[in-house]
Amino acid sequence: SQQGEEDPQALSIQEGENATMNCSYKTSINNLQWYRQNSGRGLVHLILIRSNEREKHSGRLRVTLDTSKKSSSLLITASRAADTASYFCATAVKGYQKVTFGIGTKLQVIP
Amino acid sequence: EADIYQTPRYLVIGTGKKITLECSQTMGHDKMYWYQQDPGMELHLIHYSYGVNSTEKGDLSSESTVSRIRTEHFPLTLESARPSHTSQYLCASSEYVRGSQETQYFGPGTRLLVL
């Protein structure tokens, strides 16, 4: 089973609405990272949040981390059609020198 | 845009051919990675490297091999391509920080179709 699992698997919203996607994981982590992937392209890093942080912001993005619940959420405010992409969380497990990616959330923003 | 490049972007090839997917980065990163991703699915780590002359197998068993002779270059080779190798291959790099896993920068990917 996946170390990181995103929820929902797919999300469709109107432009201007907020989009929230969640990531749950199983073991203790050093950090959790969110990436975006446009169709057929590589991944682009969005935000890294460390295990001792609870919230981070970057532009219209807000990431929270709850280590007691082993979960994170990514909020995109005032969504735009250009935000249409798949969003992946990647967990950096303590003691391991690599990250594990979830299956992603497919976000569609309808103009 | 990250300074990491992959060639070719698309490759259609017959069964049994030897192929090499190229990946290069100009950021001076020590760590490099190869992932395999089927459409709409998660990424699976197949190889990674801590630096020159270092190569490690990832979480997903793969018949491919890699080499790391130069910091900036991390090619992946399939000696005999099969239809089961059809997938997207993503290369990434990151700084090496002991005890931590830092941001990864991805190339655009190579879409491989083996007939």
Side-chain angles (χ1 to χ4, degrees):
Chain A
S1 60
Q2 290 292 321
Q3 158 68 351
E5 292 190 8
E6 290 91 340
D7 168 58
Q9 290 191 27
L11 179 62
S12 183
I13 59 173
Q14 293 291 135
E15 200 166 33
E17 293 180 342
N18 296 342
T20 299
M21 49 207 91
N22 305 294
C23 172
S24 59
Y25 58 92
K26 293 181 169 57
T27 57
S28 295
I29 59 172
N30 283 329
N31 65 59
L32 186 145
Q33 304 168 29
W34 285 92
Y35 291 81
R36 185 187 74 225
Q37 183 180 35
N38 289 90
S39 180
R41 305 297 301 272
L43 278 71
V44 175
H45 178 257
L46 297 175
I47 287 185
L48 182 153
I49 186 165
R50 301 193 186 276
S51 59
N52 61 353
E53 297 175 308
R54 291 296 167 258
E55 187 171 313
K56 284 189 85 168
H57 297 255
S58 177
R60 294 184 295 113
L61 306 180
R62 172 176 166 253
V63 168
T64 61
L65 178 65
D66 187 335
T67 53
S68 65
K69 294 181 179 177
K70 292 186 170 57
S71 67
S72 173
S73 68
L74 170 66
L75 169 68
I76 304 174
T77 60
S79 63
R80 304 167 182 167
D83 295 328
T84 294
S86 290
Y87 291 82
F88 293 85
C89 71
T91 50
V93 176
K94 285 185 178 178
Y96 289 89
Q97 281 288 334
K98 44 191 194 293
V99 297
T100 302
F101 287 84
I103 61 173
T105 292
K106 289 184 176 55
L107 173 64
Q108 180 186 29
V109 181
I110 302 167
Chain B
E1 289 288 321
D3 295 322
I4 180 164
Y5 310 97
Q6 290 184 243
T7 57
R9 291 293 309 276
Y10 303 93
L11 180 61
V12 181
I13 202 161
T15 296
K17 300 291 186 183
K18 177 180 178 178
I19 60 170
T20 296
L21 308 184
E22 302 287 350
C23 176
S24 60
Q25 50 95 6
T26 58
M27 296 173 282
H29 287 164
D30 286 319
K31 289 192 76 175
M32 295 190 74
Y33 315 78
W34 276 103
Y35 292 90
Q36 185 174 341
Q37 183 188 31
D38 292 325
M41 303 297 287
E42 67 265 46
L43 281 73
H44 291 290
L45 181 68
I46 52 176
H47 297 283
Y48 62 104
S49 166
Y50 289 107
V52 171
N53 293 327
S54 154
T55 60
E56 304 284 343
K57 289 194 179 296
D59 303 318
L60 181 68
S61 175
S62 174
E63 294 165 346
S64 58
T65 59
V66 292
S67 62
R68 190 87 183 275
I69 298 172
R70 302 198 316 263
T71 298
E72 62 272 20
H73 198 213
F74 192 40
L76 180 144
T77 298
L78 276 166
E79 290 293 331
S80 179
R82 294 209 299 269
S84 60
H85 297 139
T86 294
S87 190
Q88 175 165 254
Y89 293 84
L90 294 166
C91 180
S93 71
S94 71
E95 293 182 4
Y96 176 37
V97 177
R98 183 180 291 275
S100 179
Q101 303 86 358
E102 298 304 310
T103 297
Q104 294 186 27
Y105 297 86
F106 282 80
T110 294
R111 284 189 180 274
L112 173 65
L113 173 60
V114 183
L115 302 175

